[in-house]
Amino acid sequence: MAEKTQFDYLWDKIRERAERLINPLSYERFIRGLEPVDVMGGTLVLRAEDELVAATVSRHHLTQLREAIASADVGLSDVALIVDGSEEYSIDKLPDTDAGNAVALDPRYTFDSFVVGSSNKFVYAAAKSVANNPGGEYNPLYIYGGTGLGKTHLMQAIANEIREKKPSLKVLYTTSEKFLNEFVDSLARKGEGREFRFRNRYRNVDVLLIDDIQFWAGKYGVQEAFFHTFNELSSQNKQIVISSDCPAKELTTLEERLRTRFEGGLIADIQPPDLETKIAILKRKALEKKYVVPDDVLAFLAKNSDNNVRTLEGKLNTVIFASKLHEEPITLKLAGIALQEAINVDENAVVTPDTIVRATCAHFSITKQELLGKSKRAELVRARQICTYLMCDMLALPLVSVGKEMGGRDHATVIYSRDKVASLMKVSDAMAKDVNDIKSAVLKQ
């Protein structure tokens, strides 16, 4: 019997709930045999044995599966199907699971779940104003800030709020990479009507939100396409929301006419959180996970972490995992041991990309060439993604630099690997243990 993967554990929890929602005959014929093969952007990818099964599930059982995912509370938001025999797949090749969105919205990203502090109260108020009155006074809204400070959370909170409060409006949230990929595809397949579909998709909406536009740096073709999309939507008073990792004026490789349009709206930045806000974020995350963490532990975690909210949550997950593993209550001593930041760590230890690569290779018994290569073997992909996550977590490197250290991976691949591991650590003890064991090894080198 094949060893279970982390995806199997997720699917087991979802399937248990799906069995209660779906007719027994349909469940046995179409659901039981689905095989979980990946998690992509909050979507569980399931492999069906043939087109008939995939089509039947898509047409008749997606609602029940989504309800099962929500009730299972495993950190996922949707499901997508591929057909047996397909070894290569990407989110672009999967069926649209939500025709109104280029990227599935995460229902957990709401204004209520966003922790407001002195560092982000202005941008929070701006986002709320746009959600309450899309196409009104603040158009476009340009949000910028460093990695892991909450830009994507606020972007999706706007989209989720409008979809709930103003369901008649067509809202489309996407990433700059997704927009770019669709633009390139529309040029390559003009004869199939892709160019028209691309224009129609992005210009016939009431609210357009595009995340991380710095990805378009130097790519003037896609900038031209967005310029015309921007003008079309603006002329109809449709709301546009954009995010970036820097102010518009610093996007020097972006065309001047685009920068001036961004600067013509409201520009709001997210500053790094202060200590009190970090503690509040940790307290909220702990409550979401149904754990009561003592205030002294929350303060310790906040003081011994950077300003990245994902890093904060990662450290909290590490401590919770240690509590479950050792069957001990969460204390300051346990937190120190779990994080290896105050106990048994060489104060002179220097963490570099190479130390993380060496520790990852040693943990998985693989070579550096295998880790940084192109092989799609599951164990190498897992090791590669964990190594990427640890570089993002432990080093203050730009994502582009992390990609270079990981064998020339692009910006989007780094984000995907980082977020995928962070997501799986919440629901997979095996993943959390691998990450924490490698991290401990790095700190002891």
Side-chain angles (χ1 to χ4, degrees), residues 192-261:
E192 302 174 23
R194 292 299 179 99
E195 192 172 21
F196 170 78
R197 286 168 57 189
F198 173 77
R199 288 198 305 269
N200 188 60
R201 179 179 183 85
Y202 286 102
R203 298 186 192 184
N204 289 300
V205 296
D206 297 295
V207 182
L208 176 62
L209 307 98
I210 300 187
D211 225 345
D212 286 326
I213 62 162
Q214 73 275 356
F215 186 70
W216 292 340
K219 300 177 175 68
Y220 296 107
V222 71
Q223 291 180 33
E224 177 81 12
F226 181 67
F227 175 78
H228 294 300
T229 299
F230 187 104
N231 284 346
E232 180 70 22
L233 294 176
S234 293
S235 69
Q236 302 175 51
N237 294 319
K238 305 299 186 182
Q239 180 68 49
I240 301 168
V241 184
I242 306 144
S243 82
S244 175
D245 62 0
C246 63
K249 63 183 179 182
E250 294 181 12
L251 293 171
T252 55
T253 54
L254 214 61
E255 287 192 28
E256 177 65 23
R257 57 182 179 170
L258 269 181
R259 292 203 304 274
T260 56
R261 277 162 174 75

Side-chain angles (χ1 to χ4, degrees), residues 196-345:
F196 170 78
R197 286 168 57 189
F198 173 77
R199 288 198 305 269
N200 188 60
R201 179 179 183 85
Y202 286 102
R203 298 186 192 184
N204 289 300
V205 296
D206 297 295
V207 182
L208 176 62
L209 307 98
I210 300 187
D211 225 345
D212 286 326
I213 62 162
Q214 73 275 356
F215 186 70
W216 292 340
K219 300 177 175 68
Y220 296 107
V222 71
Q223 291 180 33
E224 177 81 12
F226 181 67
F227 175 78
H228 294 300
T229 299
F230 187 104
N231 284 346
E232 180 70 22
L233 294 176
S234 293
S235 69
Q236 302 175 51
N237 294 319
K238 305 299 186 182
Q239 180 68 49
I240 301 168
V241 184
I242 306 144
S243 82
S244 175
D245 62 0
C246 63
K249 63 183 179 182
E250 294 181 12
L251 293 171
T252 55
T253 54
L254 214 61
E255 287 192 28
E256 177 65 23
R257 57 182 179 170
L258 269 181
R259 292 203 304 274
T260 56
R261 277 162 174 75
F262 297 160
E263 292 171 346
L266 177 64
I267 296 179
D269 68 322
I270 303 181
Q271 295 292 329
D274 56 23
L275 181 63
E276 289 74 18
T277 303
K278 289 201 284 186
I279 291 173
I281 291 170
L282 286 167
K283 185 169 290 188
R284 169 66 65 84
K285 296 293 184 183
L287 289 174
E288 288 175 358
K289 299 172 192 298
K290 298 180 175 58
Y291 267 83
V292 177
V293 181
D295 288 344
D296 59 346
V297 175
L298 295 175
F300 169 74
L301 295 177
K303 290 175 183 176
N304 290 277
S305 67
D306 59 22
N307 296 319
N308 189 317
V309 175
R310 296 189 189 94
T311 304
L312 275 175
E313 187 171 6
K315 290 181 183 293
L316 178 63
N317 288 335
T318 299
V319 172
I320 289 175
F321 173 74
S323 173
K324 291 164 62 178
L325 181 67
H326 299 295
E327 298 182 347
E328 295 179 12
I330 295 176
T331 62
L332 193 58
K333 180 179 179 181
L334 178 71
I337 294 173
L339 295 180
Q340 294 289 297
E341 290 189 6
I343 301 173
N344 297 329
V345 176

Side-chain angles (χ1 to χ4, degrees), residues 283-445:
K283 185 169 290 188
R284 169 66 65 84
K285 296 293 184 183
L287 289 174
E288 288 175 358
K289 299 172 192 298
K290 298 180 175 58
Y291 267 83
V292 177
V293 181
D295 288 344
D296 59 346
V297 175
L298 295 175
F300 169 74
L301 295 177
K303 290 175 183 176
N304 290 277
S305 67
D306 59 22
N307 296 319
N308 189 317
V309 175
R310 296 189 189 94
T311 304
L312 275 175
E313 187 171 6
K315 290 181 183 293
L316 178 63
N317 288 335
T318 299
V319 172
I320 289 175
F321 173 74
S323 173
K324 291 164 62 178
L325 181 67
H326 299 295
E327 298 182 347
E328 295 179 12
I330 295 176
T331 62
L332 193 58
K333 180 179 179 181
L334 178 71
I337 294 173
L339 295 180
Q340 294 289 297
E341 290 189 6
I343 301 173
N344 297 329
V345 176
D346 182 356
E347 292 182 356
N348 297 315
V350 177
V351 180
T352 66
D354 188 57
T355 59
I356 295 174
V357 167
R358 282 192 278 112
T360 305
C361 289
H363 181 82
F364 287 102
S365 300
I366 58 178
T367 66
K368 182 177 180 179
Q369 289 73 23
E370 288 176 317
L371 178 69
L372 304 183
K374 306 295 184 183
S375 172
K376 299 289 186 182
R377 280 167 43 202
E379 63 271 23
L380 295 181
V381 171
R382 179 185 177 90
R384 201 172 293 137
Q385 290 173 340
I386 290 175
C387 190
T388 301
Y389 169 84
L390 287 171
M391 284 197 191
C392 294
D393 180 56
M394 302 180 76
L395 300 171
L397 289 177
L399 297 180
V400 172
S401 298
V402 173
K404 289 178 180 177
E405 296 290 347
M406 290 303 301
R409 264 72 190 182
D410 61 25
H411 171 273
T413 301
V414 171
I415 292 176
Y416 170 73
S417 297
R418 178 198 67 194
D419 292 352
K420 180 172 181 179
V421 172
S423 177
L424 286 173
M425 285 177 67
K426 299 175 187 177
V427 295
S428 169
D429 288 350
M431 176 63 81
K433 187 175 189 307
D434 279 339
V435 171
N436 293 324
D437 286 350
I438 296 171
K439 183 183 289 188
S440 296
V442 169
L443 293 170
K444 290 176 182 177
Q445 288 190 55

Side-chain angles (χ1 to χ4, degrees), residues 11-21 27 68:
W11 178 230
D12 285 347
K13 291 182 179 180
I14 295 166
R15 192 168 54 182
E16 177 185 343
R17 287 156 177 81
E19 190 171 5
R20 305 170 194 166
L21 301 170
Y27 176 84

Side-chain angles (χ1 to χ4, degrees), residues 1 28 73 173 176 259 352 438:
M1 186 175 179
E28 289 297 327
D73 191 23
Y173 165 83
S176 61
R259 292 203 304 274
T352 66
I438 296 171

